[in-house]
Every structure is written in C-alpha cells, then in structure tokens.
Amino acid sequence: MFFLVSGFIITHSINDESRGTFVLKRVFRIYPAWIVAAVLIQLQVICMGWKTPLTFEQYFRGITLFGIYDENPTFLIGAEWTLLIEIKFYFITIVFIPYIRKFPVAAYLVQALIVAGMIVICRKFGTEVFLLAVQVSYIPILLFGQLIYFLYMQMISRATFIGLCSLNFLLTIYVIRDLQPGFLEPVNSYIITIAYCFAIFMAVIHLCRDLKMGRIGRFFENISYSLYLYHANIGIVTVGLLFPLLPYWLTFFVAFAVMLAVSWISYRYVELWGMQRVRSILKPRSRTQIVAAGNAS
C-alpha cells in the first residue's frame, strides 16, 4: 500500500511542478529529517548496546544512502530500503515531467521499458547493479499508483487503464520471477497482497473522492514521513522498556503515543524547517529587485 500511495502522490507532484522545483522540494523533504533520524537512532542503538559503532565512512555512506549497495550493506534505521525505491522512482519519472501531462500512456510505457531493461542487464555488471535492479523490481507497484492517478485525473480512459494495468501486472510477474522467485511460490502471499492493496486503494479513491481531510487526517498527513522514519525503533524501545511494568495493551497505546509525539516534533522542527528553506529559495523576487536588476543591466 505504501508504494501504491507513493506512486499516486509522486505523479501528482510531478504533474504540477517543473524538474528543478521537484528535485529541490524532494531533497529538502527527504534529507533533513532522514539525517536527524539516522543520527538519533544510531545514538539510541549504540547506547542500548544493540551494535558496535560504525566507522565514519560507513556513517557517511549510510547517510547518503549509498551504503546499501556495499557488499555488506549499511543500514542506519532499517527502513531506508523503501526510501531508496522511491528515490529510484524519482529518477525514472523526473525525465518525463513534460510528457506525463501530455502523453501519459507513452510516459508509462517508456518507464515500464526502463524497468524491464534494468532487469535484463542487471546480472552483467556486478553486485552493485544487481542490488540496484532488486530495488527497481518494486517500481511496477509504484507504476500501479501512477496509473490510478492517471485514471483519477481523467488523463486516460477506463479501457486504457485496464489495458495498462494488465500490462503492468505482467511486468510485475516478470521482474519477480527473474529476481525474487520466492514471492511467486504458493505459500507466499505477495501477489495476492498487491491485488488486495490495489483493490482497497481503488475503492478508497472512488468512495472518498469528495471526503474532507479534517484535523486528524491532516495531522497524520503532516507527520507521515517522520512516523515512517521513527516508528520501528521508537516502538520497539518503548515496548521493551514498559512491557514488564504495564499490561501489553497499555504498553501498545503508550508506544503509539510516543511515536506520534516524536514524529510531531520531527515534523515541527525539522521537516517544516526544510519546507521553509525551499520556499525561501523558490520565492519570486520582489518587484523592486526586478526593477533594480533591469536598471543594472
């Protein structure tokens, strides 16, 4: 579901922004909160004796998200593998910003070809490219979200939507069979889970099209990225500390409250800072500045 929603939202952002604006917003949206979370969580796991401190090079490669391609991957919070998949989707889709608005079908087909091509060549260029291809193998799920956005915005017809979704399903099967065949075994519910999530997302989009967000919905929308970064580590630590002292059900609610509080603090003092920096950079020059620049020239 996370990847479906991400494909939908990223396509919406790309559809409304230029390349430069999109890249700048994504950098300030992702990295400030990510860096702070990675540092704090590493301090937490070291203080609790969960693992030995990393070297400076490992920290640097982990912070920049390149460490996952090492022979022994460096994970700083454990959830960054999904973040890397989103970043791959950014790189693929950003090329098609001018064309997604005008030629959504062609844009999708080229993106699908890029994914398929990456899978075909991945074993010819070493471990790093193979690991990159494994991440790319998840992108068809984000492309489902993109196709749902095309239908939602009436950029394609229902018949075209059904055809492209069928093609994307075949692409999903192809990349899974080639790179992660265990997901296709009868005892694995991966494909069924994708189908369930697709159906649920389509139903929510259809039934809640005119639904107002409300204060609670807006709150969770705002903290969603920080909650993604902190939920596992904060939840595990809180449950581990409180469960011997409190009933499990109460421990769960306390842990959930702590996760929300930490996520709100991250949003309020880190994410908003990044958003303000972007606005200051993208802020149009005042009329006085324009006139002064004209006179100077």
Side-chain angles (χ1 to χ4, degrees):
M1 184 64 75
F2 172 78
F3 290 137
L4 277 172
V5 175
S6 295
F8 186 96
I9 293 174
I10 292 169
T11 304
H12 172 71
S13 299
I14 287 175
N15 200 39
D16 288 343
E17 299 170 350
S18 67
R19 285 195 184 100
T21 299
F22 178 79
V23 171
L24 192 63
K25 284 185 175 181
R26 297 291 83 72
V27 168
F28 279 91
R29 180 77 174 89
I30 291 173
Y31 272 96
W34 155 251
I35 292 173
V36 172
V39 171
L40 292 178
I41 289 172
Q42 281 299 299
L43 290 175
Q44 166 203 316
V45 299
I46 291 171
C47 291
M48 300 190 72
W50 288 358
K51 67 178 183 180
T52 57
L54 302 175
T55 65
F56 176 80
E57 182 182 359
Q58 287 175 315
Y59 275 122
F60 179 77
R61 292 183 65 79
I63 286 289
T64 56
L65 297 173
F66 287 108
I68 196 172
Y69 300 113
D70 297 339
E71 186 174 349
N72 296 310
T74 300
F75 290 95
L76 298 183
I77 68 171
E80 56 262 45
W81 70 274
T82 57
L83 187 59
L84 282 164
I85 292 168
E86 283 207 21
I87 293 175
K88 303 299 182 299
F89 188 62
Y90 293 159
F91 280 117
I92 291 176
T93 55
I94 194 174
V95 178
F96 303 99
I97 282 182
Y99 310 106
I100 282 178
R101 306 183 187 107
K102 298 179 181 179
F103 311 106
V105 175
Y108 161 77
L109 291 174
V110 175
Q111 291 174 88
L113 285 174
I114 291 174
V115 173
M118 176 63 74
I119 305 305
V120 169
I121 68 171
C122 68
R123 289 185 173 85
K124 300 179 180 179
F125 297 97
T127 303
E128 292 81 5
V129 175
F130 181 78
L131 291 174
L132 176 64
V134 170
Q135 293 175 356
V136 170
S137 69
Y138 288 90
I139 287 181
I141 305 176
L142 287 98
L143 290 175
F144 275 123
Q146 183 177 94
L147 292 174
I148 294 173
Y149 177 81
F150 289 160
L151 180 67
Y152 179 80
M153 296 300 295
Q154 300 180 346
M155 298 169 67
I156 58 176
S157 66
R158 292 184 179 179
T160 302
F161 173 75
I162 293 173
L164 293 181
C165 282
S166 300
L167 179 62
N168 201 61
F169 179 76
L170 294 176
L171 176 63
T172 304
I173 297 294
Y174 167 71
V175 298
I176 291 175
R177 185 187 63 182
D178 193 71
L179 293 180
Q180 306 189 67
F183 287 172
L184 296 179
E185 295 178 2
V187 296
N188 194 305
S189 61
Y190 186 80
I191 296 297
I192 296 175
T193 300
I194 294 176
Y196 280 148
C197 291
F198 181 86
I200 292 171
F201 190 44
M202 285 291 294
V204 170
I205 289 293
H206 177 71
L207 297 175
C208 303
R209 190 181 186 96
D210 299 320
L211 185 66
K212 300 298 182 182
M213 179 72 71
R215 294 182 63 182
I216 295 178
R218 186 68 62 184
F219 171 78
F220 279 99
E221 178 190 20
N222 289 337
I223 71 167
S224 59
Y225 178 50
S226 289
L227 186 61
Y228 153 79
L229 293 175
Y230 288 100
H231 74 280
N233 288 278
I234 296 298
I236 291 172
V237 170
T238 305
V239 170
L241 292 174
L242 296 181
F243 180 57
L245 305 175
L246 299 174
Y248 185 76
W249 66 269
L250 183 57
T251 301
F252 172 81
F253 283 108
V254 173
F256 186 65
V258 172
M259 285 189 291
L260 294 183
V262 172
S263 300
W264 181 84
I265 293 171
S266 173
Y267 167 75
R268 177 66 179 81
Y269 295 102
V270 182
E271 291 189 60
L272 283 182
W273 175 86
M275 296 177 194
Q276 291 167 357
R277 298 288 76 73
V278 170
R279 283 195 291 268
S280 66
I281 294 171
L282 297 177
K283 184 179 180 180
R285 293 186 300 174
S286 67
R287 181 177 179 83
T288 303
Q289 291 174 313
I290 297 173
V291 172
N295 292 336
S297 62

